[in-house]
Amino acid sequence: HDLHRTTQMLNDAVERLSRYLWSEFVVNAVYGFLMGFGTFFIGVPNAALWGAMFLVLRFVPYIGTWIAAFFPLVLSLTIAAGWSAFFETLGLFITVELLTSQAIEPMVFAGSAGMSPVAVLVAATFWTWLWGPIGLVLSTPLTACLVVIGRYAPPLRFFSILLGNEAPLAAEESFYQRLLAGDSAEATEQLETFLKTGSLTAFCDQVAIPALLLGQDDSERGVLTRGNRAEIADTLRDMIDNVVEDEHKDKAESEAGVECVGARTELDDAAALLLTHLLAERGVAARTVPARHWLTEPRPAAVPSSESKPPAITCVSHLGNASATRLRLLARRLRRRSAARATLVLGLWGAPASVEAERELPVDETVNSLTEAVERICRVTATSTTRCTPQSAAQA
């Protein structure tokens, strides 16, 4: 009933099997050539025949190579007195087998059929038990078809997860799982791996914010407690502290021109913390104001008394969906607690407001990504005493 998905599935299966069989043929041809060339110099008769046998029989997993090796090994015992030819042939076989199985095959077969190494071994055992030698020959193609079916048929997705070589979790899902477990070390490792090819800003927008949105969904479903949310925020803070130099910390506390405010929960606070660090990278002094501070003390009492003047910009971080009415109430409340001339920026991460609702909000700017928020805030602060470092220089 779904021709499009069926066609995709068949094309995917054909492509994987073609790739696998072609890779297998290339490896077997190299193997057969080396064995034929080696047995010819050792003096074993019919060297070309043995090379061809290795090429063909290696299509049978595990036992095919040993069957092909049996005949030249036995024949080497008859061509000369003593054991020299036998041990030379055996040494040739072991050397070529180790070179092929440990070096050439992993390089050529990497992902050719989209199966994990464990899946190949388990599949060979199962299909051999079920169908004997024929099952052993067909084990890899059949299992590759199961992996493809699992990708396109949702009820059978467990085949793709159990047997495939693709990560079962997306990057944001894996990161969210580390935050749930309170494992800042592995979260830091995931961030450092990402930073080898990307920037901190890209990580926050592509991985961290989507992970926090997953947490927000769980929170709205009632499966994430306040303690869980606080632990996620603490783990995220530890991860950031592990990799980001906090050289502007004192300045951010005493001279912050920007305050990043959490809208409702600890997850919003975590998003605000990410924005604070991204601004610090660009040379903008900022501080994070947890939601519980301004919600319980809506007036500027939450602002440190040592500060000589209130922040010029307030950016509120809001995760997930919210009605236009709720956003208006949030913006008005923030407007009342902010300085009269302060710029109010509303960050809607993951759930942009409609154009009509955005026009009705009493805010100066509405942004939908941390990258956009940093650029807008830098543009606002460009005429003030705070100077924004260009993004390229910050990344460098």
Side-chain angles (χ1 to χ4, degrees):
H1 65 279
D2 191 339
L3 292 178
H4 175 67
R5 183 177 298 182
T6 302
T7 303
Q8 280 188 318
M9 181 176 65
L10 293 176
N11 289 341
D12 193 357
V14 169
E15 183 180 352
R16 288 183 183 227
L17 293 179
S18 299
R19 207 162 51 230
Y20 164 74
L21 292 174
W22 173 251
S23 302
E24 182 76 12
F25 173 78
V26 171
V27 171
N28 293 352
V30 173
Y31 195 109
F33 173 79
L34 293 177
M35 289 301 300
F37 194 72
T39 52
F40 173 79
F41 275 95
I42 293 174
V44 180
N46 302 316
L49 174 62
W50 311 134
M53 285 187 62
F54 276 104
L55 187 154
V56 174
L57 290 177
R58 282 197 92 252
F59 279 99
V60 182
Y62 305 109
I63 64 173
T65 303
W66 294 95
I67 295 174
F70 173 79
F71 297 101
L73 285 174
V74 171
L75 189 59
S76 66
L77 293 173
T78 66
I79 61 176
W83 295 84
S84 59
F86 173 81
F87 284 113
E88 288 175 358
T89 305
L90 180 62
L92 171 67
F93 169 67
I94 293 176
T95 301
V96 174
E97 174 65 21
L98 290 176
L99 176 65
T100 304
S101 61
Q102 301 301 319
I104 298 178
E105 282 185 342
M107 180 176 60
V108 175
F109 287 169
S112 62
M115 296 168 51
S116 67
V118 175
V120 174
L121 180 61
V122 173
T125 304
F126 173 77
W127 292 111
T128 303
W129 168 78
L130 188 64
W131 288 343
I134 296 178
L136 183 60
V137 174
L138 298 178
S139 61
T140 299
L142 286 172
T143 308
C145 288
L146 288 178
V147 172
V148 173
I149 292 173
R151 289 187 61 190
Y152 293 94
L156 300 177
R157 187 171 180 267
F158 65 93
F159 279 131
S160 180
I161 296 175
L162 289 175
L163 304 176
N165 62 349
E166 297 179 356
L169 295 179
E172 64 273 14
E173 294 172 333
S174 176
F175 186 69
Y176 176 51
Q177 195 273 337
R178 292 297 85 206
L179 295 180
L180 279 176
D183 194 338
S184 60
E186 288 198 13
T188 302
E189 183 178 354
Q190 187 171 349
L191 171 58
E192 290 177 340
T193 301
F194 188 95
L195 291 179
K196 292 179 181 178
T197 56
S199 64
L200 179 61
T201 305
F203 178 85
C204 292
D205 272 333
Q206 299 172 19
V207 180
I209 290 296
L212 292 177
L213 286 170
L214 292 175
Q216 183 63 33
D217 291 340
D218 286 345
S219 180
E220 292 175 355
R221 292 191 299 115
V223 298
L224 205 64
T225 65
R226 181 176 180 180
N228 297 141
R229 295 195 300 265
E231 185 174 8
I232 289 175
D234 290 340
T235 304
L236 191 68
R237 183 180 296 106
D238 292 341
M239 180 204 70
I240 291 292
D241 290 341
N242 288 338
V243 297
V244 177
E245 296 182 2
D246 204 11
E247 59 184 11
H248 302 296
K249 182 177 180 180
D250 295 335
K251 181 179 179 181
E253 291 294 333
S254 61
E255 302 179 9
V258 180
E259 62 176 8
C260 302
V261 181
R264 301 166 297 172
T265 69
E266 294 80 3
L267 299 179
D268 295 318
D269 296 343
L273 177 67
L274 292 175
L275 180 58
T276 300
H277 282 283
L278 293 180
L279 290 171
E281 273 198 333
R282 298 289 295 273
V284 178
R287 67 164 175 271
T288 305
V289 179
R292 66 180 184 274
H293 284 184
W294 75 271
L295 287 175
T296 56
E297 300 180 23
R299 297 297 176 184
V303 179
S305 58
S306 61
E307 189 178 19
S308 58
K309 59 181 180 179
I313 302 174
T314 298
C315 182
V316 57
S317 291
H318 187 286
L319 289 165
N321 296 310
S323 64
T325 302
R326 186 173 185 176
L327 291 176
R328 282 196 300 270
L329 292 175
L330 174 66
R332 288 170 182 170
R333 192 171 183 181
L334 282 167
R335 177 67 72 186
R336 287 196 300 267
R337 75 171 295 276
S338 302
R341 296 183 179 180
T343 299
L344 182 58
V345 179
L346 177 59
L348 300 175
W349 320 130
S354 64
V355 177
E356 294 77 10
E358 188 172 335
R359 291 173 180 171
E360 297 177 0
L361 296 176
V363 298
D364 300 294
E365 299 277 357
T366 302
V367 293
N368 301 126
S369 70
L370 293 178
T371 301
E372 186 181 3
V374 171
E375 294 301 327
R376 295 282 185 91
I377 292 173
C378 280
R379 189 156 59 241
V380 172
T381 58
T383 57
S384 66
T385 56
T386 305
R387 296 186 60 86
C388 237
T389 305
Q391 187 174 8
S392 58
Q395 292 177 355

